[in-house]
Amino acid sequence: MIPIISIKDLSFSYGNNFSLENITLSIEKGTFFGIIGPNGSGKTTLLSLVLKFLKPHSGAIFINGENIQNLSHKKIAKNIAYIAQDFNPVYDFTVEEIVEMGAIARTKSFFDSDIDPSEVDNALKIVDLLDYKKRLFSTLSGGQQRRTLIARAVYQNTPIIVADELTNHLDIGQALKVMGYLKSLTLMGKTVVGTFHDITLAAKYCDYIAIMKDGKIQEKGTPRQIIREDVIKEIYNINVKIIRHPDDDYPVVII
């Protein structure tokens, strides 16, 4: 089976300041793939390369077997929905209007798009925000805003969803909701790729994790395989204890 995302010998640099070196990854369809690592390790840069916001210096990225350098940005938008942690629209759109923006990937322009109200409602139901659809986006909490962006990605109807640090600055309740909704999308057949700072949260929800440091992937595998005390010490230069959750058996980091 061809991986839905395949990254082969990828390298990129911002001059002498930072570089990614020989990144190789395979991500299978329908999985929740997390990328963790210290600030400045290259997590967001790697996502930017997958989204074709940046061009690699060498190596290649394939989506469903197609090299993304041969795909237009429009074609990529039909395959990947991107959710950034910070989204500040110039105008004060309603929740419903934000979700409808996902239609632009399917049509020549937003103004030519045919909006399906039932699909918009369904996307909002998935993140439990249907009752908020007429609310202004700016009046929502940070967690509700990010759930709205997940709904927009659902409405965009792509096989892949890329989420960059969606749980940053959220309280634990909202962070759990966001991760739960992302995980539920994989049960619908979507592939979710996300970057995270909270190791335990990533271990609870992700099927596979890659750990980055200094522009390189140091470890990759299931959370149980790679979330180990020796690995965390090497990557973050701290001593921790790793225990297993008493009910679900995922690794929990004790500081």
Side-chain angles (χ1 to χ4, degrees):
M1 181 182 294
I2 297 174
I4 194 166
I5 299 175
S6 181
I7 302 171
K8 297 183 179 179
D9 300 320
L10 190 73
S11 294
F12 173 83
S13 69
Y14 295 106
N16 296 322
N17 296 321
F18 175 80
S19 63
L20 294 183
E21 298 180 23
N22 301 319
I23 303 291
T24 296
L25 276 178
S26 291
I27 300 175
E28 300 299 325
K29 180 180 178 181
T31 58
F32 193 162
F33 194 99
I35 304 171
I36 64 175
N39 288 334
S41 59
K43 302 185 298 296
T44 296
T45 298
L46 180 57
L47 293 191
S48 296
L49 287 159
V50 171
L51 292 159
K52 205 178 175 183
F53 296 162
L54 299 172
K55 184 176 181 180
H57 293 172
S58 62
I61 301 169
F62 300 88
I63 304 296
N64 281 318
E66 292 188 83
N67 191 321
I68 67 166
Q69 294 307 314
N70 299 328
L71 302 178
S72 66
H73 287 285
K74 188 75 170 181
K75 184 68 178 292
I76 291 173
K78 289 181 178 180
N79 283 277
I80 305 175
Y82 174 52
I83 313 172
Q85 62 168 309
D86 295 315
F87 176 73
N88 300 300
V90 176
Y91 300 104
D92 210 358
F93 295 101
T94 65
V95 168
E96 183 178 43
E97 290 168 336
I98 294 291
V99 175
E100 290 171 356
M101 291 177 186
I104 195 170
R106 314 182 200 177
T107 55
K108 292 182 179 179
S109 75
F110 179 70
F111 300 102
D112 293 333
S113 60
D114 293 324
I115 303 300
D116 186 330
S118 65
E119 286 189 24
V120 172
D121 285 356
N122 181 63
L124 287 168
K125 284 178 184 176
I126 288 172
V127 296
D128 295 324
L129 285 178
L130 182 58
D131 292 341
Y132 290 75
K133 71 177 184 178
K134 298 300 183 183
R135 282 270 298 271
L136 293 175
F137 183 76
S138 63
T139 67
L140 302 181
S141 69
Q144 290 169 337
Q145 288 184 348
R146 293 179 195 184
R147 286 157 58 191
T148 300
L149 299 179
I150 294 172
R152 184 187 65 182
V154 171
Y155 187 65
Q156 192 170 330
N157 196 27
T158 58
I160 303 167
I161 295 172
V162 167
D164 190 17
E165 304 288 6
L166 271 202
T167 59
N168 274 13
H169 312 302
L170 297 183
D171 64 62
I172 187 63
Q174 288 293 336
L176 286 170
K177 284 183 179 180
V178 164
M179 292 295 282
Y181 293 128
L182 290 175
K183 182 69 173 182
S184 72
L185 297 181
T186 65
L187 303 179
M188 298 163 53
K190 308 285 187 183
T191 303
V192 178
V193 182
T195 58
F196 305 101
H197 280 300
D198 191 314
I199 301 169
T200 298
L201 205 59
K204 174 178 172 62
Y205 288 97
C206 293
D207 301 304
Y208 300 96
I209 291 176
I211 305 180
M212 296 188 69
K213 183 180 181 181
D214 299 329
K216 298 178 182 179
I217 291 179
Q218 305 292 338
E219 298 274 348
K220 52 189 174 183
T222 67
R224 292 173 183 82
Q225 289 172 331
I226 67 169
I227 304 302
R228 308 189 311 269
E229 293 173 8
D230 62 313
V231 172
I232 300 305
K233 181 174 176 57
E234 179 183 351
I235 299 299
Y236 295 92
N237 196 30
I238 57 172
N239 292 310
V240 300
K241 294 293 184 183
I242 305 292
I243 63 172
R244 294 295 182 89
H245 190 279
D247 297 325
D248 299 322
D249 198 40
Y250 61 84
V252 176
V253 178
I254 305 296
I255 58 174

